[in-house]
């Protein structure tokens, strides 16, 4: 049973993959997968729980010894084949992201590209699995370390990157010799299913990669299952914290990435045209549904009026439109009607709390699509909801500060700590900001300082719970555990007259 085969009549039912077998489950509860451009239901997904979680864990456990013992270069050959499949289906995968998520075709292609780079990075990981040796660590004793798989790994992913975030996890886990269970967001499960199909076509053995669906019941069953060894999570802060505390209490290794509130500082000496373009792309790209989206512009030292004027006129040029079948749209819809209404509600909150809505995205003609145009809110202060809450939509709040010191102080009060950027031509201001701002990913004249596969995604504070981050060598270290071996060999009577190597020159 595959994604294509599981369409019955006009209703697509989302299949799961356990132990190499695709199947559609009749669960007590189902979720709707929307096409946000049309406001219609694309597919229905079974919200499964403990029974399916247990079956997936058993399949992953059964496949583990064979996969862990498979030489890393052979595991890499599966990844190389998977990479070729993604390249061959690049446009189809991007269109699927647009259909179930709503982001523009260009944004969806960028997402496929970032995911592809994770697979390419995974192909190179065998080079990182070699250990260290320390000959003659003590008299007659040699030491060595090497890396072993952790075991059965689980990945739980959010709706905003249906293709990329699963690829942050399973290619690295698999290349390190682990087996994997993916639980994608029930709002966007189709891209994950398609990736599963391509991975199976690439030759991954049965049970090495499994795919299950559901919400809280499924997540709880996986977090508490004694057969699960490691959990990777990406989603909102409240759930990230819950996943971290629950899974660690059950003895799992956990990396758990949460929500964000990213600040962008505009200094008086910034090139304002470039800064406004970068700010708009950061705040309104993917309709603001990115954990690295710019959410607060800190206008320093009197730059506020000019900034607002240009942001508003730039925002009016952004074509907000349905994206499915329309590659020309600049910005697409939000994920569903409830989320669009929640985000739009912040404009009323802003007015009630004393801020000034300079650009109101509700003026956009939405039709049946879950659209909201770019929104710019001026005169926001750090005691307002717009500054405190993660809005996760196309709303840019402008906070005016006297100078860089005050901007850094505002950031210090923020409980999150994903990304922050400065726009300036001063090396000194950039250096102060880089060293002192309270966030883990820093940009200098860069709107979205999100690293690619080779560097870790280093969120701080309430944006990350755990130790080893996703991506880069930290990701490899998360999915491996080290073994240290000390070896001493005693000479036999016949060997005991031999000189040490360095003495004889042999
Ligand atoms: P979410 O937290 O609602 O859902 C994420 C996952 O958790 C989903 O798979 C969902 O099924 C599951 N889940 C939801 N409620 C649950 C519950 N009560 N118990 C157990 N599991 C539950 O997040 P979302 O709305 O899908 O995604 C948007 C959020 O993700 C934003 O907060 C965004 O900032 C964050 N995000 C963070 C990063 C990062 O790297 N820090 C990256 C992307 C998205």
């Amino acid at each position: 049973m595959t994604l294509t085969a599981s369409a019955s009549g006009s209703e697509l039912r989302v299949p799961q993959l356990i132990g190499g077998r695709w199947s559609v489950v009749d669960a007590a509860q189902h979720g709707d997968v929307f096409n946000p451009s049309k406001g219609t239901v694309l597919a229905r997904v079974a919200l499964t729980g403990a029974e399916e979680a247990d079956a997936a864990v058993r399949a992953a456990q059964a496949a583990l010894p064979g996969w862990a013992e498979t030489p890393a270069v052979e595991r890499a050959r599966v990844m190389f084949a998977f990479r070729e499949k993604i390249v061959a289906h690049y446009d189809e995968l991007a269109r699927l992201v647009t259909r179930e998520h709503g982001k523009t075709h260009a944004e969806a292609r960028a997402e496929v590209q970032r995911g592809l780079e994770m697979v390419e990075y995974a192909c190179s990981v065998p080079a990182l699995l070699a250990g260290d040796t320390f000959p003659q660590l003590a008299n007659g004793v040699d030491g060595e370390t090497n890396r072993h798989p952790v075991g059965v790994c689980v990945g739980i992913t959010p709706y905003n990157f249906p293709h990329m975030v699963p690829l942050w996890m399973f290619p690295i886990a698999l290349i390190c010799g682990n087996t994997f269970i993916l639980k994608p967001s029930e709002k966007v499960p189709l891209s994950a299913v398609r990736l599963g199909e391509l991975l199976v076509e690439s030759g991954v053995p049965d049970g090495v990669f499994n795919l299950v669906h559901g919400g809280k019941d499924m997540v709880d069953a996986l977090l508490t299952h004694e057969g699960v060894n490691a959990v990777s999570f990406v989603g909102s802060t409240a759930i990230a914290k819950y996943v971290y505390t629950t899974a660690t209490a059950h003895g799992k290794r956990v990396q758990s990435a949460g929500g964000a509130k990213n600040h962008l500082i505009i200094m008086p000496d910034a090139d304002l045209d470039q800064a406004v373009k970068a700010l708009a792309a950061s705040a309104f790209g993917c309709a603001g549904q990115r954990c690295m989206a710019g959410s607060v512009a800190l206008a320093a030292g009197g730059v506020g009026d000019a900034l607002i004027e240009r942001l508003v006129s730039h925002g009016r040029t952004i074509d907000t439109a349905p994206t499915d079948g329309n590659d020309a749209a600049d910005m697409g819809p939000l994920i569903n009607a409830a989320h669009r209404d929640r985000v739009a509600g912040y404009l009323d909150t802003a007015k009630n709390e004393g801020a000034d809505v300079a650009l109101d995205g509700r003026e956009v003609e939405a039709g049946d699509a879950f659209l909201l145009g770019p929104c710019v809110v001026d005169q926001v202060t750090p005691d307002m909801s717009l500054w405190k809450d993660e809005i996760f939509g196309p709303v840019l709040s402008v906070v005016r500060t006297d100078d860089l010191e005050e901007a850094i102080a505002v950031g210090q009060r923020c409980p999150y700590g994903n990304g922050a950027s400065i726009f300036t031509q001063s090396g000194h201001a950039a250096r102060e900001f880089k060293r002192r701002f309270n966030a883990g990913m820093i940009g200098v004249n860069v709107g979205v300082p999100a690293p690619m596969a080779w560097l870790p995604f280093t969120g701080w504070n309430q944006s990350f719970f755990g130790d080893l981050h996703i991506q880069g060598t930290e990701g490899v270290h998360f999915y491996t555990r080290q073994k240290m071996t000390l070896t001493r060999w005693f000479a036999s009577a016949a060997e005991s007259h031999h000189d040490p190597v360095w003495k004889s020159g042999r």
Side-chain angles (χ1 to χ4, degrees):
M1 178 75 65
T2 63
L3 190 56
T4 331
S6 63
S8 73
S10 59
E11 187 182 79
L12 183 64
R13 297 181 64 199
V14 184
Q16 63 178 20
L17 173 67
I18 295 179
R21 204 173 73 81
W22 291 100
S23 63
V24 166
V25 183
D26 261 329
Q29 287 184 308
H30 286 76
D32 288 334
V33 182
F34 286 99
N35 180 337
S37 289
K38 298 184 174 163
T40 52
V41 174
L42 261 181
R44 278 164 62 75
V45 59
L47 303 177
T48 62
E51 195 182 318
E52 289 75 13
D54 186 56
V57 173
R58 285 172 192 278
Q61 282 179 313
L64 184 62
W67 185 245
E69 281 302 305
T70 302
V73 287
E74 283 181 34
R75 297 196 297 255
R77 282 186 196 114
V78 174
M79 270 317 136
F80 276 109
F82 186 44
R83 189 246 173 219
E84 294 306 306
K85 293 273 175 202
I86 292 175
V87 170
H89 293 270
Y90 201 106
D91 201 63
E92 172 213 324
L93 290 162
R95 291 196 184 282
L96 186 54
V97 168
T98 292
R99 199 167 316 128
E100 68 174 337
H101 175 278
K103 63 183 69 175
T104 67
H105 185 54
E107 290 164 348
R109 285 183 68 88
E111 171 166 358
V112 172
Q113 181 61 29
R114 294 286 93 78
L116 179 66
E117 288 154 5
M118 285 304 302
V119 180
E120 289 170 343
Y121 178 61
C123 292
S124 74
V125 161
L128 298 174
L129 298 180
D132 292 326
T133 60
F134 198 144
Q136 190 68 348
L137 182 61
N139 231 346
V141 176
D142 299 329
E144 67 176 76
T145 60
N146 45 49
R147 292 194 171 272
H148 288 244
V150 173
V152 173
C153 300
V154 162
I156 301 160
T157 55
Y159 80 80
N160 65 320
F161 282 97
H163 175 97
M164 180 188 79
V165 173
L167 290 175
W168 277 2
M169 301 172 182
F170 73 79
I172 308 301
L174 296 189
I175 195 69
C176 292
N178 303 283
T179 55
F180 202 86
I181 302 165
L182 175 63
K183 203 300 286 176
S185 166
E186 64 277 30
K187 294 178 182 137
V188 291
L190 302 178
S191 295
V193 170
R194 194 68 190 108
L195 285 171
E197 289 176 349
L198 296 178
L199 187 63
V200 168
E201 285 176 26
S202 307
V204 75
D206 291 352
V208 168
F209 174 82
N210 306 276
L211 177 61
V212 293
H213 300 290
K216 181 171 169 50
D217 287 353
M218 172 54 80
V219 171
D220 284 348
L222 291 169
L223 299 182
T224 56
H225 198 296
E226 62 179 12
V228 171
N229 303 102
V231 176
S232 301
F233 175 87
V234 175
S236 58
T237 287
I239 311 298
K241 203 187 276 187
Y242 170 76
V243 165
Y244 182 76
T245 52
T246 308
T248 51
H250 285 81
K252 315 317 170 196
R253 178 181 285 211
V254 184
Q255 51 180 194
S256 194
K261 191 82 188 170
N262 305 310
H263 290 66
L264 308 169
I265 300 181
I266 301 87
M267 296 296 288
D269 66 352
D271 176 330
L272 214 48
D273 286 337
Q274 282 183 3
V276 164
K277 266 192 224 153
L279 252 66
S282 177
F284 307 137
C286 299
Q289 298 168 108
R290 284 189 291 192
C291 69
M292 291 296 283
S295 179
V296 177
L298 293 167
V303 78
D305 287 347
L307 182 70
I308 288 286
E309 190 193 315
R310 290 185 202 207
L311 277 172
V312 169
S313 58
H314 184 87
R316 289 196 199 287
T317 67
I318 293 174
D319 176 23
T320 308
T323 48
D324 189 16
N326 171 23
D327 293 356
D330 295 325
M331 190 171 103
L334 284 104
I335 188 67
N336 56 35
H339 185 55
R340 188 260 320 272
D341 295 345
R342 176 187 163 274
V343 173
Y346 272 99
L347 300 171
D348 293 329
T349 306
K351 281 182 198 158
N352 293 338
E353 291 184 347
D356 174 21
V357 178
L359 181 61
D360 191 328
R362 291 174 294 192
E363 289 159 12
V364 161
E365 181 58 51
D368 292 330
F370 307 138
L371 290 173
L372 178 69
C375 306
V376 178
V377 184
D378 193 11
Q379 304 292 352
V380 173
T381 57
D383 55 344
M384 295 181 184
S385 311
L386 260 75
W387 183 79
K388 290 182 190 156
D389 299 354
E390 182 183 34
I391 298 173
F392 218 56
V395 180
L396 181 62
S397 302
V398 179
V399 174
R400 296 175 183 233
T401 67
D402 286 343
D403 50 24
L404 179 60
E405 282 304 316
E406 193 187 348
I408 289 175
V410 170
Q412 203 59 39
R413 293 170 61 179
C414 179
Y416 298 100
N418 239 22
S421 285
I422 191 169
F423 292 86
T424 183
Q425 296 185 41
S426 157
H428 176 70
R431 184 172 187 275
E432 286 296 300
F433 166 75
K434 187 169 96 174
R435 287 179 60 77
R436 291 168 52 202
F437 203 85
N438 180 30
M441 287 175 273
I442 292 294
V444 176
N445 298 317
V446 169
V448 182
M452 290 149 69
W454 295 266
L455 293 174
F457 208 89
T458 48
W460 281 10
N461 310 328
Q462 301 284 303
S463 293
F464 184 78
F465 305 90
D467 175 10
L468 296 167
H469 292 85
I470 291 167
Q471 293 195 167
T473 47
E474 281 201 38
V476 176
H477 291 177
F478 179 79
Y479 288 121
T480 51
R481 49 187 174 160
Q482 293 199 78
K483 182 173 278 186
M484 193 285 304
T485 307
L486 290 185
T487 306
R488 168 182 284 154
W489 295 106
F490 295 97
S492 65
E495 292 165 321
S496 60
H497 67 280
H498 287 168
D499 289 335
V501 171
W502 62 271
K503 260 191 174 174
S504 66
R506 275 172 284 150

